Every structure is written in C-alpha cells, then in structure tokens.
C-alpha cells in the first residue's frame, strides 16, 4: 500500500471532517473522537476504494455514518438517564461545553443548527458549510437527492425563523 | 397570521434555493419574475439572502481544538498502521495462497490448506495484528508470484517485513536462507554453520518450518544432509520438489521423499569464488554442510562465480 496516499487524505480532509462533526454533534470532545473513528474506518477500507472514487464524498459518508451511530447511542443513553432522573428527581447539572467564545450571531447560529433535527442538521452542514453535491449528501444520508434538498430547505426555513430579529438586517419592502 | 397564497407556497423552496445560491438559472429566473410582483415574497427573498450571509460568516468561524484533534488522530492512526497487515487470497498452481504485507514490506506468504478462506489463515490468530483485505497492491504481488512459479521470473524483489519471525535466531535463519541463490540448494547444517551454530541443525529446520515467507525466503532450497528434501509446508514435500524443478534442480523419488541428484549439480565449496564439477578433487566426499549446489553453470555464474581452473566445468560440463 502507498502510505503517502492515506497521509494525503488526512492532510486534505481532516480539518473539514472535524468541522463537519463539530456541527453534527456541537461538542468539541465528541467531534475529536468521531473524527478519529471516521479516519480509522477509512484507513481500514481505503485499499478497496476505487482509484477514481470521490474520496472526499466517501469520507463524508463515513463521517455521517459514524455521527448517526453516535447520535443513536447518545439518544439511548439520554433516554436511560432521563428515566433515572425521573425516579431519583435529580436535577440536570450538565453544562454545555464552551470551548471558544463566539460572537452573538455565531452563538445564535450554533444554537439554531444544534437544535435542528439530526438529518436536517447533517444535510444543511454538508451543503452549506462544505458545499457537497446533493447526490453525495443523499448517498451519505441514505436518501434521495430530492429528500436531501428538502432537508436543507427545511433547515433554512427554521434558521430563518430562529434568526428573525437576530443578526439579520431588517427586510426591505 | 394570514395564509400565503398557493402560488407563493409553490415557489417557496425555489425561492429559498435562489436566495441561498442553490438554484439553477431557470429556477432563479422563475423566482425573480415572481418576486418582482409579490412584495411579501420579495421580503422573504431578502431575509433568506441575509440568512445565507450569516451562514457564510458562521462557517468561517474557527473550529476549536482542531489541532489537538489532529494530533490525537495522527497518534491513533500510526498505531493502527503499525499493526495492520493487508492481505489478498488467490489461486495458484500450488493451491490457494494468501499474501499479506505491512507498510514496510511483505510479511506473510501462506499455503492455505483448508481452502480460499481467511478463516484458514494463521494471520487470524496472530496477536497484535489487524488483518485487512487489500485490492490492487496484493494483486501485483500475486502476479509476480505466479510468474515465478511458472519459471518466467527468477527474483522476487519485494521489501520484506520479518515481524512474524518468532525470535532473533529465526530471523537470522530466514535472512541466511534468503541469500541462497535461485537454482541452488544448501543444507540445514550449512545454514547452522553459517550462523556460527553448527550443532543447531534442528533449530534451523524448526525456524524454516515456521518460515512466514515461503518461496520468497526460499526454504525450499534448504535440504537434509543426505540430499533428501525432508519436509516442506507440513507434509507437502511435493511442493518443494515442484519449486526446485521450476529452478532446474533435478530430483528423484526416494521412498516417500525426494532426493537431489548431487552428481548432476555444480558445486561451490564454502566461500570459494569458483564453482566445480561434483567430482573435482575431494568434493564428492565432502559433507553437504560445506557446499552450495547449483542446478546449472548458468545458475552458478549468475551469482558471480567463475569456473574452477582445475576441473574446468566450462570446458568439461557435467554430461547427463
């Protein structure tokens, strides 16, 4: 195997895959773990990747899968925690991680995007942050390109509603 | 809240796409002609455009801890790469075979006696190794190995990774064996002597029994002191005979084994720079441990040896 080929893949795409996963999970520590998971999986599979395959779209598809699995496990955990809390009447003391200071609009957008339904959040991030084609987004999410487009549309609608009056110039009628 | 007219609802997704730079030219034109006439949609368009601007600014925000995350990945990846052996399984004239390699070099060539299935490979039970199926690169090695088996290639110039050797002694045996030239044979005792352990004949045989790289590290060129081929790949001494035959080494059946035809082979004694006919001087009486035998003059000369000036194998070759 050509060790340089995979090094080049890491050099070219780690940053954007990490950023994508950061948007997908909203937590730096999780994005770190999931980006590792993504590239370790990719390393295990890259020998069977066709030479003319779109490696970038392929990496996003792996990252999406990793994020989906994580999201599923996280939901299960959260449900379990909720059940425990309900029984013990323990209040939630968990604080969101605040690793970097963002300005108001960014914080607002972070919150809006983090609150989007999972698939909309992934589709929106892949399209609007990483400029992936709808076909590639669809393959990652396991849906049609039309559905991928609809996810992005719904996400933008929600973002618009949430941002109304925040960080947006007034409408010109 | 008033309901939007149907025509506005219909164009809504196109409007969002156009405002956020995600529409083709025809869609953008359709949206433009609508918004020219519809004030509420025009307002929507402007707001979505602003959303798009906010998203663009947002996407350029620095990603916290990115360098730390990269360092974590590099560390885990280098650990995985060290452990990884990529393998391929394929058919050959000698039965199904597996070839595996690390990033350093080829580390396993294996006759799969149970069939073309990874479950039958010894790789499955090696600790500290992660075996992964490979595509093109193992295929290239496979092709070269087939050429070798068919006698169309005399060298396999592969980088080797001896990580599956079981000890430093085994590794030394493999390295000494790898130096035996194509079309030549030596004895187990000869290898033991070369390593400075003339009594370790059995240990040499044991090391070659576990040779992780048969054919590439040519343990088929190592034979018993009597000239019998003794063992190969468990009980498959026939494979050894076939590999030697490809290299021009003639053998004859002897009980359930094969024996080389010593009288039909050219001889190099110890580290001489010349090769002889087998009857030169006292060579016929010398133990195999002191000799390297060659299938032909060409094979001897290919290693840089000159014809002996006494027996002149160039003028009086072995008559068969």
């Amino acid at each position: 195997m050509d060790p340089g080929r995979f090094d080049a893949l890491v050099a070219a795409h780690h940053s954007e895959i990490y950023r994508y996963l950061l948007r997908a999970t909203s937590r730096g520590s999780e994005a770190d773990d999931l980006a590792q998971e993504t590239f370790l999986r990719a390393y295990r599979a890259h020998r069977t990747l066709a030479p003319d395959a779109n490696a970038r779209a392929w990496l996003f598809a792996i990252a999406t899968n990793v994020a989906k699995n994580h999201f599923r496990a996280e939901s299960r955990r959260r449900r379990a925690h909720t059940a425990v809390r309900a029984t013990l009447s323990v209040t939630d003391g968990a604080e969101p991680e605040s690793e970097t200071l963002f300005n108001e609009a960014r914080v607002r957008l972070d919150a809006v995007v983090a609150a989007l339904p999972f698939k909309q959040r992934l589709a929106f991030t892949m399209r609007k942050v990483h400029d992936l084609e709808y076909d590639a987004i669809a393959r990652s999410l396991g849906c049609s390109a039309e559905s991928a487009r609809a996810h992005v549309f719904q996400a933008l609608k929600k973002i618009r509603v949430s941002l109304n009056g925040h960080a947006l110039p007034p409408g010109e009628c | 809240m008033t309901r939007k007219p149907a025509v506005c609802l219909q164009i809504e997704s196109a409007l969002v796409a156009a405002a956020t730079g995600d529409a083709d030219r025809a869609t953008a034109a359709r949206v433009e002609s609508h918004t020219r006439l519809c004030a509420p949609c025009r307002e929507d368009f402007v707001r979505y455009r602003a959303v798009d601007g906010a998203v663009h600014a947002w996407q350029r925000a620095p990603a916290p801890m990115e360098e730390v995350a990269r360092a974590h990945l590099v560390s885990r990846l280098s650990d995985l790469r060290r452990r990884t052996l990529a393998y391929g399984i394929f058919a050959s004239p000698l039965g199904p075979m597996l070839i595996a390699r690390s990033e350093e070099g080829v580390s396993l060539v294996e006759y799969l006696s149970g069939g073309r299935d990874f479950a039958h490979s010894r790789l499955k039970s090696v600790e500290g190794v992660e075996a992964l199926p490979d595509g093109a690169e193992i295929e290239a090695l496979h092709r070269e190995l087939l050429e070798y088996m068919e006698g169309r290639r005399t060298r396999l110039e592969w980088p080797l990774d001896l990580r599956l050797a079981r000890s430093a002694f085994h590794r030394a045996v493999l390295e000494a064996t790898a130096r035996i030239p194509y079309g030549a044979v030596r004895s187990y005792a000869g290898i033991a002597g070369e390593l400075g352990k003339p009594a370790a004949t059995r240990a040499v045989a044991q090391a070659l029994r576990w040779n992780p790289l048969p054919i590439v590290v040519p343990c088929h060129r190592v034979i018993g002191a009597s000239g019998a081929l003794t063992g190969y790949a468990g009980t498959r001494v026939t494979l050894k005979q076939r590999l030697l035959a490809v290299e021009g080494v003639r053998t004859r059946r002897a009980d359930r084994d094969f024996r080389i035809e010593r009288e039909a082979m050219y001889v190099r004694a110890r580290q001489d720079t010349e090769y002889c006919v087998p009857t030169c001087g006292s060579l016929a009486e010398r133990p195999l441990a002191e000799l390297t035998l060659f299938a032909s003059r060409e094979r001897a000369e290919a290693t840089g040896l000159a014809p002996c000036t006494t027996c002149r194998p160039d003028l009086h070759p072995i008559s068969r």
Side-chain angles (χ1 to χ4, degrees):
Chain A
M1 78 204 68
D2 173 12
R5 185 179 167 204
F6 199 78
D7 285 336
L9 219 57
V10 173
H13 302 297
H14 176 263
S15 174
E16 59 176 346
I17 291 292
Y18 174 71
R19 282 160 182 255
Y20 170 55
L21 290 166
L22 199 59
R23 302 295 179 213
T25 65
S26 329
R27 290 186 184 203
S29 58
E30 286 175 4
D32 182 347
D33 288 346
L34 298 185
Q36 287 176 44
E37 179 67 26
T38 299
F39 279 94
L40 294 181
R41 276 199 202 182
Y43 181 76
R44 290 185 172 104
H46 83 284
R47 289 169 201 81
T48 48
L49 182 70
D52 58 344
N54 180 344
R56 182 170 182 258
W58 174 72
L59 281 172
F60 269 94
I62 296 175
T64 303
N65 254 318
V66 166
K68 270 195 221 163
N69 291 345
H70 173 76
F71 185 72
R72 253 182 245 127
E74 192 65 356
S75 307
R76 268 198 304 277
R77 232 187 334 269
R78 218 173 292 135
R79 274 199 301 278
H81 282 178
T82 311
V84 170
R85 274 192 216 113
T87 336
L88 300 178
S89 303
V90 175
T91 52
D92 187 359
E95 294 291 330
E97 290 182 14
S98 52
E99 288 161 329
T100 298
L101 285 175
F102 285 74
N103 65 35
E104 196 192 338
R106 282 174 184 169
V107 172
R108 182 94 200 149
L109 250 166
D110 276 343
V112 176
V113 173
L116 288 173
F118 190 60
K119 281 196 170 183
Q120 287 180 19
R121 187 176 351 143
L122 297 188
F124 168 80
T125 309
M126 279 191 268
R127 182 65 193 165
K128 290 296 166 190
V129 180
H130 300 289
D131 285 325
L132 257 70
E133 296 297 327
Y134 279 111
D135 283 344
I137 298 171
R139 270 196 298 278
S140 285
L141 292 175
C143 64
S144 65
E146 289 71 36
S147 299
R149 205 176 263 278
H151 283 316
V152 175
F153 168 60
Q154 291 300 337
L156 282 165
K157 269 177 80 169
K158 286 183 185 138
I159 291 170
R160 189 216 135 148
V161 171
S162 305
L163 288 188
N164 235 350
H166 293 271
L168 291 183
E172 304 157 20
C173 302
Chain B
M1 196 172 154
T2 51
R3 280 178 66 86
K4 273 189 177 182
V7 62
C8 299
L9 283 173
Q10 271 166 19
I11 208 165
E12 191 179 9
S13 65
L15 181 144
V16 173
T20 56
D22 216 0
D24 56 37
R25 198 173 288 175
T27 307
R30 193 154 56 87
V31 169
E32 199 196 333
S33 55
H34 176 81
T35 50
R36 211 179 296 133
L37 303 172
C38 175
C41 284
R42 195 157 61 240
E43 185 183 338
D44 268 355
F45 186 91
V46 171
R47 289 209 161 269
Y48 275 115
R49 177 104 331 151
V51 166
D52 196 48
V55 168
H56 267 96
W58 174 73
Q59 63 169 246
R60 286 192 299 273
M65 311 297 282
E66 187 180 320
E67 287 313 310
V68 176
R70 169 83 68 107
H72 287 158
L73 170 65
V74 167
S75 150
R76 280 192 69 192
L77 204 51
S78 88
D79 176 57
L80 174 62
R81 292 169 87 142
R82 262 197 307 277
R83 283 187 286 118
T84 296
L85 293 184
Y87 71 88
I89 295 176
F90 54 87
S92 85
L94 304 184
M97 301 197 75
L98 177 147
I99 300 179
R101 64 163 301 166
S102 67
E103 289 189 356
E104 282 93 59
V106 180
S107 36
L108 181 68
V109 171
E110 188 181 20
Y111 298 108
L112 294 177
S113 46
R116 286 189 64 168
D117 188 344
F118 181 67
H120 297 114
S121 169
R122 71 195 249 196
L123 256 195
K124 205 165 167 281
S125 52
V126 179
E127 264 182 46
V129 159
E130 182 157 335
L132 299 171
D134 193 302
E137 290 190 50
I138 296 286
E139 186 58 40
L141 299 174
H142 166 207
R143 270 197 304 278
E144 291 190 13
L145 195 66
L146 284 183
E147 289 170 11
Y148 181 92
M149 287 175 178
E150 289 159 4
R152 290 188 287 128
R153 171 185 286 274
T154 61
R155 297 173 81 92
L156 292 168
E157 283 165 343
W158 297 351
L160 299 184
D161 174 355
L162 295 180
R163 71 171 66 193
L164 297 180
R166 296 185 158 196
S167 66
F169 177 73
H170 281 205
R171 177 184 282 263
V173 170
L174 296 177
E175 285 165 351
T177 303
R179 289 193 289 272
I180 305 175
Y182 188 85
V185 293
R186 292 187 67 190
S187 69
Y188 295 103
I191 302 284
E194 181 184 329
L195 298 177
K197 298 185 174 175
T201 307
R202 276 175 172 278
V204 168
Q206 193 65 11
L208 292 181
R209 188 169 120 78
W210 290 108
N211 177 10
L213 292 157
I215 306 178
V216 192
V217 171
C219 56
H220 60 278
R221 296 180 196 150
V222 187
I223 60 174
S226 65
L229 302 195
T230 64
Y232 189 70
T235 56
R236 305 167 78 189
V237 77
T238 319
L239 296 187
K240 190 169 187 172
Q241 183 272 329
R242 285 177 66 180
L243 285 167
L244 286 174
V246 166
E247 299 182 18
V249 176
R250 300 202 307 184
T251 53
R252 58 172 166 264
R253 268 198 177 278
D255 298 327
R256 270 181 289 172
D257 200 348
F258 293 85
R259 192 178 290 273
I260 55 149
E261 297 184 359
R262 183 169 167 175
E263 66 282 1
M265 298 185 79
Y266 293 89
V267 183
R268 176 198 192 189
R270 295 193 183 275
Q271 299 304 311
D272 276 2
T273 53
E274 296 181 340
Y275 71 96
C276 307
V277 296
T279 48
C280 180
S282 63
L283 279 182
E285 283 78 51
R286 304 264 288 268
L288 259 185
E290 296 177 11
L291 311 174
T292 304
L293 306 181
F294 290 91
S296 65
R297 287 178 48 220
E298 289 71 28
R299 290 290 151 232
E301 286 175 15
T303 66
L305 298 177
C308 166
T309 48
T310 309
C311 68
R312 297 304 301 266
D314 48 336
L315 299 180
H316 312 289
I318 301 171
S319 58
R320 291 182 179 167

